[in-house]
Amino acid sequence: MKMETALTDTPNIEEQSFHPIDEESLFPAERATHKPRILLLYGSLRDRSYSRLMVEEAARILERFGCETKIFNPSGLPLTDDATAEHPKVQELRDMVMWSEGMVWCSPERHGAMTGIMKTQIDWLPLAPIGGIRPTQGKTLAVMQVCGGSQSFNVVNQLRILGRWMRLITIPNQSSVPKAFHEFDEEGRMLPGPFYNRVVDVMEELVKFTLLTRSQSGYLTDRYSERVESLEELSKRVNMKSAT
């Protein structure tokens, strides 16, 4: 009995903010029925950008799975801090992110890392809420990369770190295509083969995770620490002495 008491003795927990797991919120009876909304970002502005071609191929696959897709064109997006958030391209990007329920990030590998174009797009997405809503929190994410030479996983590993930092639900599967110039035909379509099959796998998994989580993403990302902080702020405001 003493051991049981010790295991459940948590005097540091703020009881008002500590909520039991609500299975009805995890498995809601009513779920969203509209097409999953997926935004795709790519990381190169070349005329024959393989990250863009791969994203376009991914969008076709997502449409086959019943999704609605949008692809953001990063041309004209200013560097972070070189313009204000009112810049038209920044607003366009943020509006697309707010619209989406899941995302695909695909970048070339340049000097062993993602491109500056890819990072700039992510850097323009704030962690702070827009209109009371965090743009990325609780949404799904799939990561992919294209390589000019042998296969590497540097970019997808970096994108995973960013996805976690942006509070996205990053799916387990990923795609890395080596010697991408061999994997697309003259019309820009990805050739059949194991690398194409992996892209299909990744998009299939992304759709499944999006359907599983979108109706309860708010509950999945509801945090004890933030409830404690909110309660403290409310207490300060309610108990604030009048200035008069």
Side-chain angles (χ1 to χ4, degrees), residues 113-132:
M114 77 183 76
T115 62
I117 294 167
M118 190 76 230
K119 185 61 162 56
T120 296
Q121 293 175 81
I122 298 168
D123 284 346
W124 272 117
L125 306 180
L127 286 172
I130 297 177

Side-chain angles (χ1 to χ4, degrees), residues 37-39 95-103 135 139-140:
R37 301 190 294 261
I38 308 296
L39 172 64
D95 288 346
M96 285 187 173
V97 172
M98 296 295 285
W99 164 86
S100 71
E101 296 170 323
M103 285 191 281
K139 298 180 179 183
T140 53

Side-chain angles (χ1 to χ4, degrees), residues 222-239:
D222 181 41
R223 293 175 173 83
Y224 165 78
S225 60
E226 293 180 351
R227 293 196 297 270
V228 169
E229 185 177 5
S230 298
L231 187 64
E232 289 175 350
E233 290 300 315
L234 176 63
S235 178
K236 288 179 183 178
R237 180 172 60 81
V238 171
N239 294 303

Side-chain angles (χ1 to χ4, degrees), residues 35-181:
K35 291 183 176 183
R37 301 190 294 261
I38 308 296
L39 172 64
L40 301 96
L41 307 181
Y42 59 92
S44 169
L45 298 178
R46 293 178 177 177
D47 288 341
R48 188 170 171 82
S49 163
Y50 292 108
S51 62
R52 175 178 56 79
L53 295 179
M54 196 161 160
V55 151
E56 290 173 352
E57 204 67 51
R60 296 183 187 102
I61 297 165
L62 289 167
E63 295 279 349
R64 283 291 307 274
F65 280 123
C67 296
E68 183 179 355
T69 64
K70 292 184 180 181
I71 299 174
F72 176 71
N73 179 357
S75 180
L77 182 70
L79 290 172
T80 316
D81 300 329
D82 197 33
T84 68
E86 284 66 43
H87 189 283
K89 288 298 292 189
V90 177
Q91 286 295 310
E92 178 187 356
L93 173 61
R94 291 186 174 187
D95 288 346
M96 285 187 173
V97 172
M98 296 295 285
W99 164 86
S100 71
E101 296 170 323
M103 285 191 281
V104 177
W105 294 351
C106 181
S107 174
E109 179 172 304
R110 186 168 295 165
H111 300 313
M114 77 183 76
T115 62
I117 294 167
M118 190 76 230
K119 185 61 162 56
T120 296
Q121 293 175 81
I122 298 168
D123 284 346
W124 272 117
L125 306 180
L127 286 172
I130 297 177
I133 300 173
R134 286 192 174 99
T136 54
Q137 178 168 287
K139 298 180 179 183
T140 53
L141 172 66
V143 296
M144 305 193 297
Q145 75 173 84
V146 291
C147 310
S150 59
Q151 191 172 42
S152 164
F153 300 95
N154 291 330
V155 169
V156 287
N157 289 337
Q158 292 172 336
L159 291 174
R160 283 189 177 280
I161 292 171
L162 287 171
R164 182 173 70 245
W165 191 259
M166 303 302 289
R167 299 182 174 184
L168 289 155
I169 302 169
T170 308
I171 67 170
N173 213 341
Q174 62 188 26
S175 172
S176 173
V177 178
K179 298 182 179 179
F181 52 88

Side-chain angles (χ1 to χ4, degrees), residues 3 37 79 196 198 205-206 225:
M3 176 62 73
R37 301 190 294 261
L79 290 172
Y196 177 82
R198 173 58 68 90
E205 189 170 289
L206 176 65
S225 60

